[in-house]
Amino acid sequence: MCPFNGGIHKMVGPFSAVVWESMTTSDHVRWQSRPVLQRPVIIAAFQGWNDAADGASMAVRTLIDAWQAQPLAEIDPEDFTDFATIRPSVRLRGTNQRDIVWPKVSMWHASTPGSDVILVLGPEPSLRWRLFTEQVIGVAVQYDASMVLTLGALIADVAHSQSTRIMGTSSDDTMIERFDLRKPQYEGPTGIIGVVNDACVQSSIPAVSLWATVPAYASQIPSPKAANALIQRAGEIIGTPPPLGALHNDVVEYDEQIQEMIDDDDDLAEYVRRLEELGDDAYNPNQLEFEFEDDEEDDGSSLVDEVEQFLRDQDGN
């Protein structure tokens, strides 16, 4: 059924009535096209707290380009953004015109061999997360989305020389069995991805969350390696060959850049050597999300604490 032919989708959970109302009476979603899509997979990433080293946002941006995705909609940023924190920018057009570019969450659509997809990308909202999430869920409902797949990246005790680890979680038993995922175990502060995933559960929409690990000592360097790992796992889940070649040269340059940084510092080289020796023992996949913020109960013994102290000491010299 075309999602715009007047049909009403029945939803289960507390989001049901408010989502449908928001999608029919509010002006938060600005549609740019009305394609007919067959039960698309929604793939979403948000810049900010959920996006260490730009790994998740780079992944979605790469998919938009590789799949030649077309504009679908934008979420009006006015009610969801603190513009003093995430500022709009000015761009020159021609010789006498200036345009204001507002930070906003945008959506694109594409058809792939495995599934139709809707790609969502933009800054994590600053305000009114529940209302914002209703807009995303509303789009999923209108298109009868088969799944919402969120991408994130986080800091962990890992070495850049090793394969990027991907942690996949879901609250849906069918998704867990089908894609070899695990139940989420994390408790603590969360980002917009956690809120979107919870809204999917409440609305009976299957949801999967993929997280790529980023080395603590390279957390300020954009990571095409994390993006590539997310792209590969997402492609496996939706049944579409991932465009891994799109970031090949960037991955090579990334490894070379970090290796040069390590070669110039004996202490950092020793730290990385220890990570390589520890391998999978260097991190706990059930606690990866704790690395986003300082844990007040941390005893200070982790390798992340050591490298962060090392880098602070270097800045002071």
Side-chain angles (χ1 to χ4, degrees):
M1 175 186 295
C2 174
F4 305 105
N5 66 357
I8 296 178
H9 295 256
K10 182 179 180 181
M11 295 182 61
V12 178
F15 271 79
S16 304
V18 69
V19 167
W20 185 257
E21 180 181 355
S22 70
M23 293 308 300
T24 55
T25 63
S26 78
D27 193 34
H28 296 297
V29 176
R30 297 174 175 172
W31 294 98
Q32 296 172 300
S33 63
R34 302 279 190 168
V36 176
L37 304 175
Q38 300 299 318
R39 304 210 66 212
V41 174
I42 295 180
I43 305 176
F46 299 93
Q47 298 150 334
W49 197 77
N50 311 273
D51 191 28
D54 300 339
S57 58
M58 190 187 304
V60 171
R61 193 175 297 111
T62 301
L63 292 177
I64 292 169
D65 293 339
W67 290 342
Q68 299 181 346
Q70 300 300 308
L72 176 69
E74 297 174 348
I75 297 179
D76 189 336
E78 191 69 23
D79 287 329
F80 309 111
T81 309
D82 177 1
F83 292 120
T85 302
I86 307 175
R87 293 183 179 272
S89 23
V90 175
R91 290 184 184 172
L92 297 177
R93 178 162 52 91
T95 55
N96 300 316
Q97 292 182 307
R98 289 154 52 91
D99 293 330
I100 302 294
V101 180
W102 298 95
K104 58 183 177 292
V105 173
S106 298
M107 302 181 185
W108 294 260
H109 68 92
S111 294
T112 75
S115 173
D116 286 341
V117 294
I118 293 175
L119 298 150
V120 182
L121 179 63
E124 181 179 61
S126 308
L127 308 166
R128 307 185 73 179
W129 280 16
R130 285 180 291 186
L131 181 60
F132 175 87
T133 302
E134 289 169 12
Q135 313 311 305
V136 177
I137 295 298
V139 172
V141 170
Q142 289 212 30
Y143 274 105
D144 193 21
S146 60
M147 179 196 315
V148 172
L149 177 59
T150 57
L151 307 183
L154 47 85
I155 299 170
D157 289 325
V158 294
H160 77 286
S161 55
Q162 298 172 328
S163 299
T164 300
R165 298 180 176 93
I166 298 293
M167 179 178 66
T169 64
S170 178
S171 297
D172 187 293
D173 291 336
T174 301
M175 295 289 106
I176 291 172
E177 182 176 354
R178 180 179 178 186
F179 300 118
D180 191 24
L181 307 171
R182 67 179 70 202
K183 287 276 189 182
Q185 301 294 320
Y186 171 71
E187 293 181 291
T190 190
I192 191 62
I193 283 180
V195 177
V196 169
N197 287 333
D198 181 69
C200 289
V201 172
Q202 300 301 324
S203 303
S204 297
I205 300 173
V208 172
S209 188
L210 299 180
W211 293 87
T213 56
V214 172
Y217 56 88
S219 60
Q220 301 304 311
I221 302 174
S223 177
K225 205 164 190 176
N228 235 24
L230 288 168
I231 288 171
Q232 181 172 5
R233 188 70 173 103
E236 293 171 357
I237 288 176
I238 68 176
T240 292
L244 299 180
L247 291 174
H248 174 76
N249 292 337
D250 296 311
V251 170
V252 173
E253 292 176 5
Y254 170 81
D255 283 337
E256 291 175 350
Q257 179 183 3
I258 295 179
Q259 193 59 52
E260 288 177 5
M261 179 180 70
I262 293 170
D263 291 342
D264 289 338
D265 195 296
D266 292 339
D267 291 332
L268 185 55
E270 174 62 18
Y271 166 74
V272 175
R273 185 189 65 79
R274 290 177 60 195
L275 285 179
E276 291 172 339
E277 289 180 352
L278 287 170
D280 290 341
D281 295 331
Y283 78 108
N284 181 347
N286 288 329
Q287 296 180 344
L288 284 175
E289 292 183 67
F290 281 108
E291 304 300 344
F292 278 118
E293 295 185 354
D294 293 334
D295 186 351
E296 295 178 358
E297 298 180 358
D298 196 339
D299 62 7
S301 62
S302 73
L303 290 173
V304 166
D305 288 333
E306 293 180 24
V307 76
E308 288 179 348
Q309 183 61 53
F310 164 77
L311 294 174
R312 284 194 292 269
D313 291 344
Q314 297 306 301
D315 290 339
N317 289 336

